[in-house]
Amino acid sequence: MPGYNPASIEKKWQAFWLQNKTYATSTSTAQPKFYALDMFPYPSGQGLHVGHPEGYTATDILARYKRAKGFNVLHPMGWDAYGLPAEQYAIKNNVHPRETTAKNIHHFRRQLQSLGFSYDWDREVDTTDPTYYKWTQWIFLKLYDTWFDEHQQKGRPISELIAEFESGKRPLPAMGNRQSAIGNDWSSLSPTDQRQILANFRLAYEAEVPVNWCPGLGTVLANEEVIDGKSEVGGFPVERKPMRQWMLRITAYAERLIGGLQNLDWSDSLKDMQRNWIGKSEGAEVTFEIAHLQSPLTVFTTRPDTLYGATYMVIAPEHPLVLTLTTADQREKVEAYRKWAASRSDRERQEDTRKTGEFTGTYAINPVNQNQIPIFISDYVLMGYGTGAIMAVPAHDDRDHEFATKFKLPILQVVAPLDGSRVDVQQEAFTDEGLAINSPWIENLPTQDAKKKITALLEEKSLGKKTINYKIRDWLFSRQRYWGEPFPIIHLQDGTSVRLADDQLPLTLPELADFKPTGTIDPPLSKADDWVNIHVLIEDRAGASLARVVPASTPGAQPARRELNTMPQWAGSCWYYLRYTDPHNTHAFVDPQIEKYWLGSLAPNGGGVDLYVGGVEHAVLHLLYARFWHKVLHDWSLVSSDEPFRKLVNQGLILGEMEFTIIEDTTTGQHLSALDLPAEIERAMDDDNPRYKLVKLDDTQVEKKGEHFVLKSDHSLRVDARSFKMSKSRGNVVNPDDVIRDYGADSLRLFEMFMGPLEQVKPWSTAGVEGVYRFLQRVWRNLFDENDNPKITDAAPDDATRRALHKLIKRVTDDIERMSFNTAIAGMMEFNNFLGKSAPTAGSGGAPNLIAREVALTFVRLLEPYAPHFAEEVHARLTQSSTLSPQSSISALPWPNYDPALLIDVTLDLPVQINGKLRSRISVPHDSDDSTIFATTLADPEIQKQLAGKEPKKKIYIKGRMVNLVV
RNA sequence: GCCGGAGUGGCGGAAUGGCAGACGCGAUGGACUCAAAAUCCAUUAUCCGAAAGGGUGUGUGGGUUCGACUCCCUCCUCCGGCACCA
């Protein structure tokens, strides 16, 4: 069958590309480089959905374009293959997660290859491969061996900290109540004590922390993985519970993680999401003495200027001083409140924010005026933020106002509006900035100045200090799961832990027949007895301990146990972009020279990945975690840039096809609008045998009336017209395999790029896929006759065609550079329509003109990044290569250049406006001077009619664009 | 509530200070066909008008400008994120 037939050509070219390694990245570092990175997928059992090809096509277009521009392009793909779903599936179906993972990877790889992406498949990485996770463990140990020097704002080797302790340059920190026993001589400490001290500094440390324990999954979850008190995966309830966990000290890097955002080419919204997550707020800590008590209480506030308005104080129920502060007669009530607050889940707390609390019976002394103010406990104050205690200023804080009103506490105004207006703070808190009043130290100062002055005074009198707080908490880094990277950590009998020696990596995951959760807090790895119980020799490395696993019979060997937790799924994705640059290195996670070439600051654009595209769902977590690891590696001079991802784009979600729906009452056959459904109907639809059902309508049954869609047959019935997120339950999921089967990969790629701007949310449209499919058909028919013989001539193209072609080159090139793919495709469609007019297809009447070979080849060269199989096939047919070689691929052709002289039209067709309204148009030679243009304009009959003899007050000519006359 | 983004035909969208609606979908009419599909041609913001032509029009109201979808201010709506973070 002649004509464009994607099914037959796509397979052929995919095989050709793989066989010839057409898209292999060069190991030479002579050329300029371009690193186009996709967020690697979790290979789920569902396979690809249409959202994947969206971002992947965008980077593929850039990769293909940059190759044609002479760049050495790194465009890799891999698998983020550890993770809960594989383990859940494995437990349910009793297969090893390794098997399902391998199967899923195979499926994903086949699907991606069927889309024609130009990945270098020799650089594939798999986070579950021991040759990969060896280095994940190695980097973890780097974090373990790092402490954060606040002064230098930099991670430094733990050995340098030891050296500072040894030399006495840094005093030994206190160790709880053993302070006096420790002394101040590092080398006289026992190894156990030394290890305990160091553990307080390491970026990777163990801590007993209240965690989100999810009994349903048998694991703890990060805060980020808990949504509304339920697990993000599976939706199981989550409870708070203190457990020993591995933590990463990401909080130490908070300031640098904020600062680093500034120079990144990321969207503002994405940067804001990261900033909000880190949650920096500047304020002051203020110390309040407690009446009749020795120990003072410190609060954090961002409004120190309202200190005179503090009429009471609140501490969190879990605050360690609660019991000390509570008087005997209040004890019973306070205890009861504490118990009640502890039993409340996060969810309940979020849903019910009405203020509750209890008076402790004790008073604090306001340091600026010596007023005694009552101390309450309440769960609206969180232990995890600031100091877990606040000064309450009900006149100027909504939450304090609500509490004060309920507990009948005094409300004292200390800030007045700037405009002199009156506010009634008894009724409502005034939270804006203004002028300080009733505040002797700062009377009449505007808020900003008042903050500065009172903070300075507090510091002077040792009553407080300027403080910065962050919302971000340390990263909970361990999971009670089987399917993850084991920690290269050994627990000794003295209760301390020690890292494994580098040369004993990778620490491979033990084979377990039964990897189900134990049902207790013990992780599944506790079942691997032989693996867990080992003997080690402890070595001393620059003062730090290191464990080496040895046979039990080895002299000096001591019994020990391995860490039973595994790392979270984020671990492997924190550094995969580095591994792609040097994926087979067995000596290092990446070779320094290679890293420098691909990510170094010597690169023209300042280092990091040149383009990173992925879903917005990773806006905070993955991107924050990866940036954190990258900065630690940078502090070790192991990577040459401070930021990993210079330019980042989030592709918009693809929604399901637009749906028109109404509701049918099945008993009466009556139709109802599906908009604003009464609650009882909505409920009834969930019944097993629903009285009401949703009726989907064809778009021919519907029309627009005013603001709304209505039924054509009944204008009074409003139709619900909406696109929904694709979901199995809605039945609106589009499978890319089906689209490829029906229209081919090129049409899928083209359509996803043509739908609209990459970053935008947009609905799927099957008719739209057909539209781009027809476009490719038309291109084919313009170039080949009904027997697939080329309608091509070697004669030079006519002037108009040449000009149109050069305009197209410029347009497509500029549009790719700014990632405006939809408009580039529109340009190619226009050009093809132009070709169709000059070379009418057979059957349409006109005598078929032949298209110049040069024009056809340049056109498909521009089309290749979007529709590579199609372009290869056309190129091969037009060049009539009988044997296919790597050089015969269209990708061996350079990107065309345009001749700027050809972009200028010989005659200008200028619109003429009078007072900004279009009235006429004139034609002038493109090089006419202003006076010629105005003369032509005034001579124009239409303009003369409009002016009716009036002389324009002002004549404006915008070069090459338009003329405007002001009368 | 706070932060960010967006409002343009029946639909997806184009135009980032200079001809609003490119391109595509859908729709309508026509050609080809015994017929259908496919393909091709034409029309397609809206109002007035037979037409020529003219008026209006980018969520709302105002402003800046010779000129505003585009910049500034007000309000409204939708989407995304955060949310008792002191």
Side-chain angles (χ1 to χ4, degrees), chain A residues 291-531:
Chain A
H292 323 299
L293 262 179
Q294 293 295 321
S295 50
L297 204 50
T298 301
V299 303
F300 173 73
T301 177
T302 54
R303 290 295 299 273
D305 61 302
T306 62
L307 185 47
Y308 283 93
T311 52
Y312 65 103
M313 211 171 181
V314 186
I315 60 177
E318 315 90 65
H319 197 287
L321 289 178
V322 169
L323 292 180
T324 327
L325 288 173
T326 307
T327 55
D329 53 330
Q330 287 299 107
R331 180 148 310 227
E332 207 171 306
K333 283 181 184 167
V334 168
E335 294 270 23
Y337 182 78
R338 268 189 119 182
K339 219 168 165 182
W340 174 79
S343 73
R344 277 221 308 175
S345 69
D346 282 359
R347 186 176 193 146
E348 285 170 308
R349 211 160 148 157
Q350 268 164 31
E351 277 173 1
D352 181 12
T353 57
R354 279 175 302 180
K355 300 291 174 286
T356 55
E358 207 60 64
F359 178 41
T360 60
T362 308
Y363 292 83
I365 299 160
N366 189 329
V368 289
N369 56 15
Q370 312 307 314
N371 284 352
Q372 293 215 357
I373 57 176
I375 305 173
F376 283 76
I377 67 167
S378 171
D379 69 352
Y380 85 91
V381 172
L382 310 172
M383 195 54 226
Y385 184 75
T387 60
I390 61 158
M391 62 178 212
V393 185
H396 305 289
D397 181 281
D398 291 324
R399 297 152 300 182
D400 296 345
H401 192 276
E402 191 190 337
F403 189 90
T405 309
K406 180 165 175 183
F407 287 85
K408 307 215 164 34
L409 292 158
I411 299 169
L412 173 64
Q413 184 178 1
V414 292
V415 182
L418 282 171
D419 59 12
S421 62
R422 282 180 178 267
V423 288
D424 182 3
V425 296
Q426 302 304 322
Q427 287 307 310
E428 197 184 4
F430 173 70
T431 55
D432 295 349
E433 296 192 354
L435 294 176
I437 56 168
N438 303 327
S439 304
W441 291 8
I442 49 173
E443 192 67 21
N444 261 321
L445 287 180
T447 299
Q448 289 305 323
D449 298 344
K451 279 185 184 177
K452 275 188 203 129
K453 181 160 182 201
I454 200 161
T455 307
L457 286 169
L458 288 168
E459 276 188 25
E460 209 180 292
K461 298 173 200 286
S462 301
L463 297 170
K465 60 171 198 244
K466 192 178 168 199
T467 308
I468 296 173
N469 255 307
Y470 300 92
K471 274 196 260 182
I472 192 172
R473 313 288 157 82
D474 277 342
W475 174 10
L476 187 123
F477 194 67
S478 45
R479 300 290 184 274
Q480 291 67 50
R481 281 183 206 160
Y482 172 68
W483 194 230
E485 299 90 344
F487 282 84
I489 293 287
I490 307 293
H491 294 280
L492 303 178
Q493 286 183 315
D494 67 1
T496 62
S497 55
V498 181
R499 56 158 292 176
L500 202 61
D502 280 348
D503 57 34
Q504 295 206 321
L505 300 181
L507 170 59
T508 51
L509 196 57
E511 277 304 325
L512 269 187
D514 173 19
F515 38 79
K516 291 183 186 68
T518 56
T520 70
I521 56 167
D522 288 330
L525 284 181
S526 61
K527 297 176 188 173
D529 286 341
D530 296 348
W531 183 85

Side-chain angles (χ1 to χ4, degrees), chain A residues 610-623:
Chain A
D610 297 285
L611 175 65
Y612 193 21
V613 177
V616 73
E617 67 272 19
H618 294 119
V620 264
L621 305 182
H622 159 62
L623 289 171

Side-chain angles (χ1 to χ4, degrees), chain A residues 408-701:
Chain A
K408 307 215 164 34
L409 292 158
I411 299 169
L412 173 64
Q413 184 178 1
V414 292
V415 182
L418 282 171
D419 59 12
S421 62
R422 282 180 178 267
V423 288
D424 182 3
V425 296
Q426 302 304 322
Q427 287 307 310
E428 197 184 4
F430 173 70
T431 55
D432 295 349
E433 296 192 354
L435 294 176
I437 56 168
N438 303 327
S439 304
W441 291 8
I442 49 173
E443 192 67 21
N444 261 321
L445 287 180
T447 299
Q448 289 305 323
D449 298 344
K451 279 185 184 177
K452 275 188 203 129
K453 181 160 182 201
I454 200 161
T455 307
L457 286 169
L458 288 168
E459 276 188 25
E460 209 180 292
K461 298 173 200 286
S462 301
L463 297 170
K465 60 171 198 244
K466 192 178 168 199
T467 308
I468 296 173
N469 255 307
Y470 300 92
K471 274 196 260 182
I472 192 172
R473 313 288 157 82
D474 277 342
W475 174 10
L476 187 123
F477 194 67
S478 45
R479 300 290 184 274
Q480 291 67 50
R481 281 183 206 160
Y482 172 68
W483 194 230
E485 299 90 344
F487 282 84
I489 293 287
I490 307 293
H491 294 280
L492 303 178
Q493 286 183 315
D494 67 1
T496 62
S497 55
V498 181
R499 56 158 292 176
L500 202 61
D502 280 348
D503 57 34
Q504 295 206 321
L505 300 181
L507 170 59
T508 51
L509 196 57
E511 277 304 325
L512 269 187
D514 173 19
F515 38 79
K516 291 183 186 68
T518 56
T520 70
I521 56 167
D522 288 330
L525 284 181
S526 61
K527 297 176 188 173
D529 286 341
D530 296 348
W531 183 85
V532 173
N533 297 300
I534 46 166
H535 285 75
V536 293
L537 285 178
I538 302 300
E539 293 174 18
D540 184 80
R541 275 294 157 80
S545 307
L546 193 100
R548 187 176 299 280
V549 178
V550 292
S553 56
T554 311
Q558 50 174 297
R561 283 170 65 83
R562 288 197 195 274
E563 170 63 47
L564 300 177
N565 287 309
T566 53
M567 298 185 196
Q569 193 180 353
W570 308 109
S573 59
C574 271
W575 72 284
Y576 75 112
Y577 60 95
L578 294 169
R579 188 63 175 173
Y580 281 139
T581 65
D582 192 13
H584 308 297
N585 196 326
T586 53
H587 307 292
F589 76 111
V590 52
D591 177 273
Q593 291 307 312
I594 295 175
E595 187 279 331
K596 197 168 196 167
Y597 171 66
W598 286 109
L599 296 149
S601 52
L602 293 178
N605 49 16
V609 171
D610 297 285
L611 175 65
Y612 193 21
V613 177
V616 73
E617 67 272 19
H618 294 119
V620 264
L621 305 182
H622 159 62
L623 289 171
L624 203 60
Y625 295 156
R627 291 178 62 220
F628 165 46
W629 279 35
H630 193 91
K631 284 178 189 297
V632 175
L633 292 172
H634 182 59
D635 288 346
W636 280 85
S637 299
L638 290 164
V639 296
S640 36
S641 61
D642 188 46
E643 284 287 337
F645 312 121
R646 193 62 41 189
K647 180 180 169 76
L648 184 131
V649 177
N650 288 126
Q651 85 265 24
L653 192 68
I654 297 181
L655 303 176
E657 202 143 359
M658 161 105 93
E659 292 171 24
F660 296 99
T661 49
I662 51 172
I663 304 286
E664 187 178 294
D665 182 334
T666 52
T667 53
T668 64
Q670 219 179 6
H671 287 145
L672 304 159
S673 172
L675 285 154
D676 315 319
L677 276 188
E680 73 265 20
I681 293 184
E682 196 145 15
R683 271 196 302 275
M685 287 172 66
D686 287 334
D687 294 348
D688 288 340
N689 199 1
R691 178 176 164 189
Y692 297 97
K693 68 172 189 195
L694 212 57
V695 183
K696 284 195 189 182
L697 302 168
D698 208 70
D699 55 4
T700 56
Q701 296 170 268

Side-chain angles (χ1 to χ4, degrees), chain A residues 133-277:
Chain A
Y133 71 69
K134 168 181 177 175
W135 298 106
T136 309
Q137 293 171 332
W138 184 86
I139 296 170
F140 169 80
L141 289 176
K142 272 282 167 279
L143 278 111
Y144 180 84
D145 283 339
T146 307
W147 62 289
F148 192 77
D149 184 330
E150 280 291 336
H151 184 67
Q152 293 185 20
Q153 276 292 300
K154 192 180 171 208
R156 293 174 62 195
I158 202 85
S159 57
E160 292 181 14
L161 179 66
I162 295 166
E164 288 192 9
F165 284 146
E166 276 174 342
S167 65
K169 196 175 149 198
R170 179 179 289 265
L172 293 187
M175 274 186 73
N177 49 13
R178 290 186 55 213
Q179 192 162 10
S180 53
I182 282 181
N184 210 17
D185 180 8
W186 175 258
S187 43
S188 69
L189 295 181
S190 71
T192 302
D193 284 345
Q194 289 182 348
R195 285 197 287 269
Q196 275 178 4
I197 289 175
L198 293 178
N200 291 326
F201 287 84
R202 299 180 187 277
L203 292 187
Y205 65 97
E206 290 165 271
E208 190 81 23
V209 285
V211 297
N212 304 300
W213 168 249
C214 178
L217 295 171
T219 184
V220 298
L221 299 169
N223 286 329
E224 297 83 19
E225 290 168 316
V226 183
I227 306 203
D228 287 342
K230 286 184 177 168
S231 62
E232 189 182 10
V233 178
F236 298 103
V238 173
E239 55 193 56
R240 302 287 284 178
K241 190 171 182 168
M243 280 173 77
R244 186 195 63 83
Q245 297 293 328
W246 279 93
M247 308 291 291
L248 296 185
R249 211 178 297 276
I250 191 170
T251 49
Y253 281 75
E255 195 58 44
R256 277 173 63 189
L257 287 167
I258 291 175
L261 290 170
Q262 199 170 354
N263 296 319
L264 296 180
D265 187 0
W266 294 15
S267 70
D268 288 340
S269 67
L270 191 61
K271 288 185 186 180
D272 274 336
M273 279 167 81
Q274 292 230 336
R275 282 195 199 102
N276 289 341
W277 191 264

